[in-house]
Amino acid sequence: MRVSARGAVIAGAWLKGDIEVEDGRLVRAGLPSTGRGYVLPGLVDLQVNGYGGADFNAATEAEFARALAALARDGVLHVQPTVITDSEENVVRQLRVLDGLRRSAPPGAKVVGVHAEGPFLSPHHRGVHRPEYLRDPDLGIVRRFLDAGPLRTITVAPELPGALELIAGAAREGVIVQAGHSGADAATAYAGFDAGARAVTHLFNGMVPFGHRAPGIAGATLNREDVAIQLIADDIHLARETSLFALKAAEHRIMLVTDAASPAGAGDGVFTVGGFTVTVTEGVPRLPDGTLAGSTVTLLQQVRGLVEHGWPVDRAVNLASRAPARFYGLTGVGELTLGGPADLIVTDENVDVVRVLIDGQEFTA
């Protein structure tokens, strides 16, 4: 099968011309072409709290399956579902549902693991997380989550009592620990990174504001070369200038995420997000008090925003594909290589999806 486009992002770099797919693999690239648009690797989103109307804190296996199909339709072919702060019973239930879903592998985005965003978060920077379920760090809870399903990542506020011990213990258990929803100052953030936290959950959001005399966890993160950064570059969670500032400082450590909530891919209206009622107006989900409740902007829309700002398409898409896949330790994912799987999206000149191939086969939701 020949796929025509202006060019493709191959092994993280731009290559002009068509590509060719055989037996589910990318076999040729750089072929003569008069096509338009782009061939891009399937995107990887490591922070998705809901999609297509499904709230991942309450979704059934069938609802998850529909959400995975909607994600693939929008260009995300590998995903880490996120379960936000909830009762331990409910988190365990959702981990078990996701374990079954990963085994059954319905058509759509592939589940690569699960992120528990909480319950070890600061009550002062909790965002949409329900305060009655916040807990002081307890490694026993992490172990029970691990027993229930494919937990891979957990977000922890490093200033909480016992947090450093939990971070070290969870890291020893093979869990990726991210710092976030935190009021930590720079010194405490550094201590969390030293204990084993490898990344920061949505930089600048859900944390003490950056100040020129009190840089906090955001300033510590930007200065710490061994820490990966999640960024929601949707022009809502962060001003465009803030996203560009972070990218200029640390592009090599940044991966784009959506922080998508149940309304993503479902339009305006009233939805449930982690037990809260959320109203979406013009694509922006908020609680009644105005607090942002996740995002409805797709990962590809974030890529498009950078391209519209003048970024080369390869640099922009790598932030949403290659970077998260490499951070997460996924092989054969998030980049197209000759001989590798033909998991790809074809877009028009405006970076809107026009085709999706999974293992070289056309996917339609």
Side-chain angles (χ1 to χ4, degrees):
M1 175 199 310
R2 187 155 173 160
V3 179
S4 185
R6 186 181 353 153
V9 178
I10 307 293
W14 175 250
L15 181 65
K16 288 184 178 180
D18 290 356
I19 66 163
E20 194 164 343
V21 173
E22 289 179 4
D23 298 325
R25 300 271 164 180
L26 174 63
V27 294
R28 279 175 284 279
L31 302 173
S33 175
T34 58
R36 308 299 296 168
Y38 310 105
V39 174
L40 305 177
L43 307 184
V44 180
D45 197 342
L46 299 182
Q47 173 87 12
V48 180
N49 315 305
Y51 212 84
D55 178 356
F56 289 177
N57 273 53
T60 64
E61 191 164 332
E63 289 168 336
F64 270 119
R66 288 194 291 271
L68 295 179
L71 281 160
R73 173 200 67 202
D74 292 336
V76 174
L77 302 191
H78 292 82
V79 64
Q80 179 180 234
T82 296
V83 180
I84 68 172
T85 302
D86 208 328
S87 69
E88 183 177 335
E89 177 185 15
N90 283 353
V91 174
V92 164
R93 180 196 66 216
Q94 294 308 94
L95 281 163
R96 288 175 176 156
V97 170
L98 283 160
D99 190 43
L101 189 79
R102 189 178 62 162
R103 294 173 191 276
S104 64
K110 295 180 176 69
V111 174
V112 297
V114 180
H115 173 202
E117 192 178 9
F120 315 125
L121 310 179
S122 165
H124 307 295
H125 301 276
R126 62 182 176 82
V128 76
H129 295 254
R130 294 169 68 180
E132 66 268 32
Y133 293 128
L134 295 176
R135 297 287 181 268
D136 284 338
D138 179 347
L139 192 56
I141 293 176
V142 177
R143 287 174 174 151
R144 290 191 287 277
F145 288 175
L146 283 167
D147 288 341
L151 179 74
R152 185 75 194 283
T153 304
I154 190 164
T155 293
V156 179
E159 74 273 20
L160 296 179
L164 301 184
E165 293 79 7
L166 180 134
I167 290 169
R172 284 195 299 270
E173 299 271 358
V175 176
I176 296 170
V177 182
Q178 299 180 175
H181 285 280
S182 168
D185 60 17
T188 305
Y190 287 137
F193 302 145
D194 289 341
R198 293 176 48 199
V200 165
T201 299
H202 43 55
L203 183 70
F204 295 119
N205 292 114
M207 57 186 62
V208 63
F210 174 85
H212 64 292
R213 291 194 180 93
I217 189 170
T221 300
L222 290 169
N223 279 289
R224 184 73 178 237
E225 280 292 315
D226 59 341
V227 174
I229 298 168
Q230 290 185 343
L231 199 72
I232 311 171
D234 62 358
D235 298 344
I236 297 168
H237 282 77
L238 300 176
R240 177 68 60 88
E241 292 79 8
T242 305
S243 296
L244 293 173
F245 160 72
L247 286 162
K248 286 179 180 178
E251 179 184 348
H252 60 293
R253 295 187 281 129
I254 285 177
M255 47 192 159
L256 299 179
V257 295
T258 57
D259 197 31
S262 59
D268 286 359
V270 179
F271 300 84
T272 299
V273 175
F276 288 100
T277 298
V278 169
T279 300
V280 182
T281 304
E282 296 182 353
V284 181
R286 295 186 184 275
L287 298 178
D289 67 0
T291 300
L292 278 172
S295 171
T296 67
V297 176
T298 71
L299 202 52
L300 191 62
Q301 285 170 336
Q302 293 188 44
V303 173
R304 181 197 306 142
L306 291 174
V307 172
E308 289 174 346
H309 196 75
W311 276 51
V313 68
D314 52 350
R315 279 179 63 197
V317 78
N318 283 340
L319 295 169
S321 55
R322 198 183 203 204
R326 290 189 170 190
F327 168 77
Y328 209 73
L330 301 172
T331 57
V333 169
E335 63 181 324
L336 298 172
T337 57
L338 290 177
D343 291 333
L344 59 88
I345 57 179
V346 184
T347 78
D348 61 18
E349 292 285 294
N350 295 321
V351 200
D352 285 320
V353 176
V354 294
R355 293 175 71 186
V356 175
L357 299 187
I358 299 178
D359 292 325
Q361 301 297 312
E362 297 276 356
F363 176 82
T364 55

